[in-house]
Amino acid sequence: MPAPLRRLASALAVLATAGALVWGLMLLSPVDPARQILLAQGDPAPAPAEVDATRHELGLDRSYPEQYARWLTAAVRGDFGTSWRTGDPVAAELAGRLPATIRLTLVALLFATAVALALALPGLERPGGPADVFARGLVFGGSALPVFAVGVVLLEFVVVGAGIGRVVADGTWSGALLPALPLALGIGAEWARVLRGGLRDALGAPHSETARARGAGRLRILALHGLPHAAAPFLTVAAMSAGGLLAGAAVVETLFTWPGIGRLLITSIDAGDLPVVQAIVLLGVVAFLAANLLAETLTAAIDPRRREKR
Amino acid sequence: MRNRSLHVGAWLLVALAVIAVAAPLLLPDPDRVDYTAKLAPPGATHLLGTDRLGRDLAARLAAGARTTLGSVGAVWLVSVAIGLLAGTLSALAGRLAHETVARVVDVALALPQTVVALAVAGAIGPGMWQLVFAMSATAWAPTARLAHTYVHAARERPDVLAARMAGIGTVRAMAAHVLPGASARVVVVATLGVGQLILSLAALSFLGLGAQPPTAEWGRMLADSRHDVIAAPWLIIAPTTAVFLAVTAVSLLADGAREHIDPGSRSWPRF
């Protein structure tokens, strides 16, 4: 099997296992889904016969493997059942919230790239010099700073205190600038750490020394000898940070009342609305797997040595 | 030994642990509510000031250190113990055990830790021990993979082969020649993840999914007093500094320890 297909197959295998685990969360929950859905749809005291009918309709009277197969085929089609909180289809709730989160995440990733470059490039030529020490200190400090603290500072001191921006965010592109900052700082610092390490190794390597000795300019060395070498480990770490995006988005969206899936997730956890939690968690896993698949493919394209392995 | 980050990190961590343990002897009860002293600034009676319920901030910070160090320590212990056990045994056992563990590790590595924590909180409810359970469920995977690779490679190492040829049994040869190196690496990799773990636990507690009131926890403390931070800035400075120092301490310690056992290497996994 060619390498890209093998990577896709293994990602799908992991996704199937993750799907089984996410479905299994329902078994851990003490709530009766049929009754819960009837309650959410406005029936204050569902009759036992009604509950049984709904249970049959949902397929909850079948065996567990059958239930999982039904849940999985529905999930693949984008149907995650009915919310226990609102009684509406989960897919509709997600669809309404997803664009805002995508906007926030894209702006945050853009900022993170800027932060990573700004912290990775200074002082590379003179290791141990003031610019190098300063940038390294910022990278180290930035990755130890909690996202929520940066968010609280921005919200309470900048938005409420100084009156810049909006307290209740509306989910638009321009509204995303401020909430994206705390999300971007942590990710950017982590990216900068890896990028710095990669660049320092690449620029100190013999091929860069040779290029320098032959009179190549700083930009040329950076672009041809530095960045391509630093790209592979950077992409790997960048994809790993997709795993923390959901939790980060949950923090920022909750703070800034951003109408995205992160806040919906926290609301749903508080309300015990398991179908919505399942859908968002699965979405988080899919995003993580997709990011890693993309990174592996790009890495293999950039670095021929990685093509043979695995 | 000129390994500054190892030393600074270790001393910082020891200082934090001492504060966490000694605080109950020196500071007031962290849960004692005193409405006559609410939002009091730092001073002689309240070293770091008080929150909106008049609870002593210094005492709550120290109690939060106990919460954080306790839960992080539990996850760390699981990832060291299970990782070492699963990795070593699967490297020594037959092909079936090897493949089984490798597949489970693949899945555990592919699941983002905080997403798993959110899922568990959604299914069985919020709480610090629920988070510890959820974080441990994936935390052992990187250590298991590392231990597996190390032990597997060590089976063909000259010193191990020499020991085997001298008539020493597998178990003893492994225990004497391979286990020390494997455990050192496992401990370092487990520690490399702790900084991120502290940040994640604090963030999840900030969201109300971790420590429940009245338990003091740094993220939760900031969440509870976030509307008071303009009037009482010490309420944001103190818990943020605490998280920052704890993360810095373990990061320095882990980086220093890695440098100590494997100088010049930057290619270790960090999760």
Side-chain angles (χ1 to χ4, degrees):
Chain A
M1 209 176 356
L5 268 183
R6 198 169 56 231
R7 277 195 288 269
L8 185 64
S10 92
L12 284 178
V14 169
L15 186 58
T17 319
L21 292 174
V22 168
W23 171 78
L25 292 175
M26 199 67 94
L27 305 180
L28 289 177
S29 165
V31 181
D32 174 9
R35 203 181 128 74
Q36 197 62 39
I37 286 173
L38 287 172
L39 285 174
Q41 283 170 344
D43 189 344
E50 238 181 313
V51 174
D52 281 341
T54 313
R55 189 171 294 138
H56 181 71
E57 195 186 315
L58 293 171
L60 294 172
D61 47 0
R62 300 173 191 231
S63 69
Y64 284 144
E66 239 179 308
Q67 283 190 42
Y68 172 55
R70 279 170 61 107
W71 180 84
L72 190 66
T73 44
V76 168
R77 291 199 311 265
D79 174 10
F80 287 94
T82 311
S83 161
W84 292 354
R85 188 169 56 94
T86 61
D88 295 332
V90 174
E93 292 204 14
L94 279 195
R97 300 291 202 111
L98 203 52
T101 295
I102 291 177
R103 271 181 220 122
L104 177 67
T105 314
L106 284 181
V107 174
L109 291 181
L110 203 68
F111 282 175
T113 313
V115 170
L117 285 175
L119 292 183
L121 296 178
L124 277 174
E125 274 117 14
R126 278 186 52 211
D132 178 46
V133 171
F134 184 64
R136 259 172 35 206
L138 280 185
V139 168
F140 199 84
S143 42
L145 215 52
V147 173
F148 56 86
V150 180
V152 169
V153 168
L154 275 180
L155 187 64
E156 298 295 333
F157 289 91
V158 177
V159 179
V160 178
I164 300 164
R166 276 179 293 257
V167 178
V168 178
D170 50 4
T172 56
W173 287 104
S174 61
L177 297 178
L178 214 53
L181 266 183
L183 207 51
L185 281 183
I187 300 174
E190 177 69 10
W191 288 4
R193 193 179 57 78
V194 182
L195 202 54
R196 263 194 101 76
L199 282 175
R200 199 173 43 202
D201 289 349
L203 294 180
H207 58 84
S208 302
E209 295 287 331
T210 314
R212 210 166 289 134
R214 290 163 68 116
R218 288 165 54 191
L219 265 182
R220 189 186 161 83
I221 294 178
L222 185 67
L224 291 183
H225 295 268
L227 287 174
H229 282 260
F234 171 73
L235 283 172
T236 309
V237 167
M240 292 301 287
S241 56
L245 270 182
L246 186 60
V251 169
V252 171
E253 289 181 2
T254 305
L255 258 176
F256 286 85
T257 54
W258 188 259
I261 58 164
R263 189 154 69 95
L264 178 64
L265 175 62
I266 301 307
T267 315
S268 305
I269 291 176
D270 286 341
D273 189 355
L274 196 49
V276 177
V277 174
Q278 285 178 313
I280 298 179
V281 162
L282 208 55
L283 208 62
V285 174
V286 168
F288 184 65
L289 288 177
N292 278 291
L293 199 61
L294 185 68
E296 277 181 35
T297 311
L298 285 177
T299 313
I302 296 170
D303 187 347
R305 287 169 303 181
R306 304 231 174 180
R307 277 176 223 159
E308 313 305 325
K309 277 198 293 183
R310 269 170 72 85
Chain B
M1 187 171 62
R2 279 192 67 253
N3 194 330
R4 223 171 13 157
S5 56
L6 184 66
H7 281 156
V8 175
W11 281 115
L12 258 178
L13 202 60
V14 167
L16 272 174
V18 168
I19 291 173
V21 174
L25 306 172
L26 307 169
L27 296 166
D29 178 2
D31 298 331
R32 204 180 77 93
V33 173
D34 177 6
Y35 288 109
T36 61
K38 52 184 189 177
L39 298 182
T45 38
H46 297 289
L47 210 54
L48 295 175
T50 62
D51 65 7
R52 63 160 53 208
L53 297 178
R55 293 177 296 193
D56 186 79
L57 193 57
R60 290 190 71 72
L61 271 190
R66 286 195 291 279
T67 311
T68 300
L69 293 179
S71 44
V72 163
V75 179
W76 182 87
L77 216 58
V78 169
S79 72
V80 167
I82 310 253
L84 202 56
L85 207 65
T88 311
L89 291 184
S90 71
L92 298 176
R95 192 165 172 75
L96 184 67
H98 172 131
E99 283 295 318
T100 314
V101 171
R103 289 293 85 77
V104 177
V105 167
D106 275 347
V107 172
L109 276 177
L111 296 177
Q113 206 170 20
T114 47
V115 176
V116 174
L118 289 163
V120 168
I124 56 178
M128 209 61 185
W129 288 110
Q130 281 87 322
L131 286 189
V132 167
F133 165 73
M135 295 291 195
S136 306
T138 53
W140 62 277
T143 45
R145 170 159 290 178
L146 181 86
H148 179 97
T149 315
Y150 184 84
V151 174
H152 198 76
R155 296 196 307 182
E156 308 292 320
R157 236 167 44 190
D159 60 326
V160 178
L161 287 179
R164 299 293 305 278
M165 277 192 282
I168 292 168
T170 315
V171 175
R172 217 185 119 198
M174 284 295 144
H177 290 262
V178 183
L179 212 55
S183 358
R185 281 161 179 78
V186 160
V187 163
V188 171
V189 165
T191 312
L192 279 171
V194 170
Q196 193 54 51
L197 189 65
I198 294 175
L199 286 173
S200 301
L201 284 177
L204 291 165
S205 291
F206 178 83
L207 289 169
L209 304 179
Q212 298 300 307
T215 308
E217 196 280 343
W218 297 332
R220 180 85 204 198
M221 284 164 63
L222 182 51
D224 289 343
S225 51
R226 76 179 178 90
H227 296 299
D228 301 324
V229 295
I230 292 189
W234 51 91
L235 287 175
I236 185 167
I237 295 171
T240 307
T241 311
V243 174
F244 184 83
L245 281 182
V247 175
T248 305
V250 289
S251 302
L252 284 173
L253 181 69
D255 282 345
R258 181 191 51 189
E259 185 65 28
H260 181 65
I261 65 168
D262 199 358
S265 152
R266 240 196 319 266
S267 58
W268 282 43
R270 197 174 168 125
F271 56 100

